[in-house]
């Protein structure tokens, strides 16, 4: 069965003997992962503002440049902006990418996903007919606390993963919990960054009580579960001493 080679693998060091057959596939123009993430995450940040500030071409001339009477709408904008600003900061200062580039054509698909959903969420949350959550301040406050905890957890995991690759090393290592309590989720799951990410969007769904946000959260969970299972299998395959208690994304379940 064929196997894709990593960017850092050298032909002379591969255990293939003298009869290996190499197949080359042209993936077309490439783009760096840092650039990919910057483009993907900058879009939602500014697209959301178009709806929040109710530009004339969004809801019509009667509603242009008006503000919502509901404080949760302002809070949702702050949280959404914070999330993507955090992602941009992590892209520049925290993330260390195992692959140098990705095919340029993939960025169109990724941007359609992130930018399209940002517009869909923002349209309904900032709509003049939007109604706040059923349980008022209690529901909103609970969601905000949950949101901030998940964002802090997600950032902590990204820093912990980045520390595994100091000095530019691309050698894969088993991530373990550190003194930071947010990293203790490593005791139970292989990809706690995805667990916290899903938690972030669940909290945003509770905060806004908006169906499109819930659908986006569900798609995020499905996609991140696929990624987590793939990474979990890779860990099990590469490390014989990998902690047996860990699950891909949800402790003890999934």
């Amino acid at each position: 069965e064929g196997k894709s080679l990593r960017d850092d693998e050298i032909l002379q060091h591969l255990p293939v003997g003298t009869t290996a057959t190499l197949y080359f596939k042209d993936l077309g123009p490439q783009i760096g992962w840092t650039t990919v993430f910057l483009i993907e995450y900058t879009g939602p940040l500014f697209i959301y503002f178009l709806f929040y500030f109710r530009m004339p071409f969004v809801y019509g001339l009667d509603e242009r440049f008006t503000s919502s009477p509901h404080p949760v709408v302002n809070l949702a904008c702050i949280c959404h902006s914070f999330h993507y600003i955090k992602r941009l900061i992590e892209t520049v200062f925290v993330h260390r990418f195992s692959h140098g580039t990705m095919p340029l054509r993939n960025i169109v698909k990724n941007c359609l996903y992130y930018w399209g959903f940002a517009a869909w969420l923002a349209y309904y949350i900032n709509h003049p007919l939007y109604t706040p959550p059923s349980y008022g301040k209690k529901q909103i406050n609970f969601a905000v606390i949950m949101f901030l905890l998940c964002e802090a957890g997600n950032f902590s995991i990204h820093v912990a993963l980045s520390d595994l690759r100091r000095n530019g090393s691309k050698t894969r290592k088993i991530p373990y919990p550190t003194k930071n309590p947010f990293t203790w989720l490593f005791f139970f799951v292989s990809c706690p960054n995805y667990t916290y990410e899903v938690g972030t969007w669940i909290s945003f769904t509770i905060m806004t009580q908006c169906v499109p946000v819930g659908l986006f959260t569900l798609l995020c969970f499905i996609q991140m579960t696929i990624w987590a299972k793939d990474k979990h299998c890779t860990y099990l395959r590469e490390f014989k001493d990998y902690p047996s208690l860990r699950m891909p994304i949800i402790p003890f379940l999934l």
Side-chain angles (χ1 to χ4, degrees), residues 30-62:
Q30 301 286 301
I31 184 170
W33 273 102
T34 299
T35 305
V36 169
F37 281 177
L38 291 177
I39 294 173
E40 286 179 2
Y41 300 153
T42 302
L45 185 63
F46 289 101
I47 287 173
Y48 197 97
F49 289 142
L50 297 178
F51 296 87
Y52 177 73
F53 291 114
R54 294 184 178 171
M55 304 303 288
F57 54 84
V58 178
Y59 298 115
L61 296 178
D62 292 341

Side-chain angles (χ1 to χ4, degrees), residues 148-179:
L148 292 175
L149 289 174
C150 288
E151 289 283 22
N154 182 262
F155 179 78
S156 298
I157 298 301
H158 286 158
V159 171
L161 292 173
S162 178
D163 287 343
L164 290 178
R165 293 183 171 180
R166 287 181 176 176
N167 304 321
S169 172
K170 292 188 177 182
T171 304
R172 196 187 299 271
K173 302 176 183 177
I174 300 177
Y176 286 104
T178 66
K179 295 180 180 179

Side-chain angles (χ1 to χ4, degrees), residues 86-106:
K86 168 185 155 294
R87 282 191 168 188
L88 290 170
I89 291 173
E90 288 174 340
T91 298
V92 176
F93 298 106
V94 178
H95 288 323
R96 302 180 194 276
F97 301 103
S98 56
H99 298 287
T101 62
M102 69 172 280
L104 182 61
R105 63 177 180 269
N106 287 0

Side-chain angles (χ1 to χ4, degrees), residues 196-216:
Y196 283 123
E197 178 81 8
V198 172
T200 293
W201 288 110
I202 290 175
S203 63
F204 197 68
T205 303
I206 296 172
M207 182 193 309
T208 59
Q209 196 171 298
C210 187
V211 172
V213 182
L215 292 175
F216 178 65

Side-chain angles (χ1 to χ4, degrees), residues 124-146:
Y124 283 97
I125 295 172
N126 297 287
H127 197 284
L129 299 179
Y130 170 79
T131 54
S134 303
Y135 296 96
K137 286 186 178 180
K138 288 184 179 179
Q139 181 173 338
I140 295 168
N141 291 340
F142 168 78
V144 170
I145 293 171
M146 181 179 172

